[in-house]
Amino acid sequence: MATRDTGTEKLIKDTAKRVFFAEGRLHATTQDIADAAGVNRTLVNYYFRSKDTLITQVYEEGMNDLSQRLAQVMETEKPFRERIEDFIDVFMADSMEFPYQETFLITEMNTRGNLYHKENMSEKVENFSKQIQAEMDAGRLEKMDPIHFAMNMFSMMIYPLVMKPMYKQFYSMDDEQFNRMMLERKQLVCNMLFKK
Amino acid sequence: MATRDTGTEKLIKDTAKRVFFAEGRLHATTQDIADAAGVNRTLVNYYFRSKDTLITQVYEEGMNDLSQRLAQVMETEKPFRERIEDFIDVFMADSMEFPYQETFLITEMNTRGNLYHKENMSEKVENFSKQIQAEMDAGRLEKMDPIHFAMNMFSMMIYPLVMKPMYKQFYSMDDEQFNRMMLERKQLVCNMLFKK
DNA sequence: TAAATGTTTAACAATTTTGTCAAACAAATA
DNA sequence: TATTTGTTTGACAAAATTGTTAAACATTTA
């Protein structure tokens, strides 16, 4: 059937992503999403048939998006350090917009019972680990299991953004101060990773 | 009214904490919790009146618990580095048991709209920042805004545990391998923080 | 313009989740 | 032992959330 493309379907999905990934309202109802999108709730069913379908699509697209962003750091041809620098710059900018993306994905995995992801990351991840190992062998990185390097990198980039509401309270910061903090972090995380 | 103390109230609350903080099933219903506890769902209402009350109690106790655990690192009298070492050891052990505690708290804050916490951490946090600053001034730590030191520490401890399901998939690990990894991390996180 | 087709809406129905109550039960105590 | 009091249970009720339908609406196209 020839769709008329009013943009409503995309609007609903994008709004759902905003509510889940950006605002971190993981318990949002279809009504919440419809309200946030400024449309009638029935349209969620018209375009997605059920809440479950919408959530599944948001989950899969969120997962695919993450996979692609990860592939980015694991595949480029630039020198290692430069590549990490670029990656941190891009990845943190993304995470500042959607801090709860990974949290949403994990929560879904935990509630539905480990949904597996078709795309096989194993090969890419292994390759990335080898690259890290090579840097270590060349004496340009502190020696450790390469997985720790990856964990350190992602932790330091994402987690402070997830904990933003707490940091704002504990350190009495407003949004602007916090965001400045996070921009500073791009450089700082890089330093932490390459310090020897 | 003299309670007979069958332990049921505590059982329900502890089970709720297990479901939310340990299993990360943030959408769990009262039925889910009752089932996990092996009790009749009606008892949730008998002891807590409403789901909301239960959640609020779990939230507040989770927040208090976190406050106390944080106070631990900010107040002890030992030398700074030793204190951090001890703290990482204890805090990571706790987080391995309840990886999603902070995630639950943040999610609640996001869905209810920044519940504030009576206990004022500002003073303790400021004091902790001063201690970090002192270490930096003494040349024992890389210079940076003290908040980054704290963010780095908590990120590297907690986030990999939250992302466990993903790491297990991406790196093809079982639970035992992953746990070994996390025990290694105690030392490693400490090294990262004090490397100059 | 009229018919056809896709979109949006409101009213309604079904399902899921939560809350209430009275009766059954068990332990303490008079 | 009988009574009292607190606990547990199942049946039921209420509320919240999700899903369906028919009609109104708007756009395309014959």
Side-chain angles (χ1 to χ4, degrees):
Chain A
M1 72 177 171
T3 174
R4 207 171 272 158
D5 190 18
T6 53
T8 307
E9 180 169 358
K10 187 173 186 321
L11 170 64
I12 291 172
K13 202 190 285 180
D14 287 350
T15 303
K17 287 177 183 172
R18 198 185 80 220
V19 169
F20 292 131
F21 299 173
E23 300 175 14
R25 292 162 52 199
L26 303 190
H27 303 302
T29 64
T30 52
Q31 186 69 66
D32 292 332
I33 293 167
D35 289 349
V39 303
N40 189 296
R41 182 179 60 79
T42 310
L43 292 178
V44 174
N45 291 291
Y46 178 74
Y47 285 107
F48 298 93
R49 185 162 55 263
S50 70
K51 178 181 185 180
D52 191 78
T53 310
L54 172 59
I55 299 289
T56 300
Q57 283 190 29
V58 168
Y59 173 85
E60 283 178 353
E61 291 181 19
M63 197 56 118
N64 286 338
D65 173 74
L66 180 62
S67 292
Q68 289 187 318
R69 286 158 64 211
L70 295 183
Q72 197 180 282
V73 75
M74 298 175 183
E75 285 179 337
T76 322
E77 286 308 324
K78 288 185 184 173
F80 187 78
R81 168 140 193 177
E82 195 180 334
R83 186 150 34 111
I84 297 290
E85 279 170 359
D86 291 355
F87 179 72
I88 290 175
D89 194 55
V90 174
F91 197 92
M92 273 200 69
D94 292 343
S95 296
M96 283 178 75
E97 197 174 352
F98 298 113
Y100 299 100
Q101 181 165 340
E102 291 83 3
T103 304
F104 171 89
L105 297 175
I106 287 289
T107 298
E108 283 306 303
M109 291 173 91
N110 288 337
T111 56
R112 336 260 280 224
N114 284 19
L115 309 166
Y116 58 104
H117 186 230
K118 31 188 177 303
E119 197 158 346
N120 197 359
M121 298 294 291
S122 301
E123 202 191 342
K124 284 180 200 158
V125 165
E126 252 175 64
N127 186 41
F128 185 50
S129 287
K130 277 183 193 154
Q131 294 167 16
I132 297 169
Q133 187 61 56
E135 294 297 306
M136 290 174 181
D137 293 343
R140 288 191 291 271
L141 275 183
E142 172 94 349
K143 288 196 196 313
M144 64 179 78
D145 189 320
I147 193 179
H148 286 302
F149 180 88
M151 285 179 172
N152 291 342
M153 180 170 69
F154 289 107
S155 301
M156 289 194 288
M157 285 196 291
I158 304 178
Y159 198 59
L161 293 166
V162 172
M163 289 296 127
K164 174 174 172 175
M166 280 203 199
Y167 282 116
K168 278 181 63 184
Q169 269 199 24
F170 289 173
Y171 286 90
S172 313
M173 287 186 289
D174 58 27
D175 276 314
E176 201 193 311
Q177 292 174 298
F178 184 83
N179 284 347
R180 242 200 320 278
M181 240 353 143
M182 288 304 110
L183 293 178
E184 271 179 43
R185 266 189 91 71
K186 288 182 175 183
Q187 188 54 55
L188 189 137
V189 169
C190 202
N191 287 344
M192 287 291 295
L193 292 172
F194 288 98
K195 216 162 27 175
K196 293 190 36 185
Chain B
M1 75 176 171
T3 175
R4 208 171 272 159
D5 189 19
T6 52
T8 307
E9 180 169 358
K10 186 172 187 322
L11 171 65
I12 292 172
K13 200 189 285 178
D14 287 349
T15 303
K17 287 177 182 171
R18 197 185 80 219
V19 169
F20 292 130
F21 299 171
E23 300 175 15
R25 292 162 52 200
L26 303 191
H27 303 302
T29 64
T30 52
Q31 186 68 65
D32 292 332
I33 293 167
D35 289 349
V39 303
N40 189 295
R41 183 180 59 80
T42 311
L43 292 178
V44 174
N45 291 292
Y46 178 74
Y47 285 107
F48 297 93
R49 184 162 55 266
S50 71
K51 179 183 186 181
D52 191 79
T53 309
L54 173 60
I55 299 290
T56 300
Q57 283 190 30
V58 168
Y59 173 85
E60 283 179 352
E61 291 182 17
M63 197 56 118
N64 286 338
D65 173 73
L66 181 61
S67 293
Q68 289 188 319
R69 284 159 64 211
L70 296 182
Q72 197 178 284
V73 74
M74 299 175 183
E75 285 180 335
T76 321
E77 286 308 324
K78 287 185 184 173
F80 187 78
R81 167 141 194 174
E82 195 180 334
R83 186 149 34 110
I84 297 290
E85 279 171 359
D86 291 355
F87 179 72
I88 291 175
D89 194 55
V90 174
F91 196 92
M92 274 201 67
D94 291 344
S95 296
M96 284 178 75
E97 197 174 353
F98 298 113
Y100 299 99
Q101 180 164 342
E102 291 82 4
T103 303
F104 171 88
L105 297 175
I106 288 288
T107 298
E108 283 306 304
M109 291 174 91
N110 287 338
T111 56
R112 335 261 281 224
N114 283 19
L115 308 167
Y116 58 102
H117 186 230
K118 31 190 178 300
E119 199 158 344
N120 196 0
M121 299 294 290
S122 301
E123 202 192 342
K124 284 180 199 157
V125 165
E126 252 176 63
N127 186 42
F128 184 50
S129 288
K130 277 183 193 154
Q131 295 168 15
I132 297 169
Q133 188 62 57
E135 293 297 306
M136 290 173 181
D137 292 344
R140 289 191 291 270
L141 274 183
E142 172 94 348
K143 286 196 198 312
M144 64 180 77
D145 189 320
I147 194 179
H148 285 303
F149 180 87
M151 284 178 172
N152 291 342
M153 179 170 70
F154 288 107
S155 300
M156 289 194 287
M157 285 196 291
I158 304 178
Y159 199 61
L161 294 167
V162 172
M163 289 296 127
K164 174 174 171 176
M166 281 203 197
Y167 282 115
K168 280 181 61 183
Q169 270 199 25
F170 289 173
Y171 286 90
S172 314
M173 286 185 290
D174 58 27
D175 275 314
E176 202 193 310
Q177 292 174 298
F178 184 83
N179 284 346
R180 243 202 316 279
M181 242 350 146
M182 289 304 110
L183 292 178
E184 272 179 42
R185 266 189 91 70
K186 289 182 175 183
Q187 188 56 54
L188 190 136
V189 169
C190 203
N191 288 343
M192 287 292 295
L193 292 172
F194 287 97
K195 217 163 25 177
K196 294 191 38 189

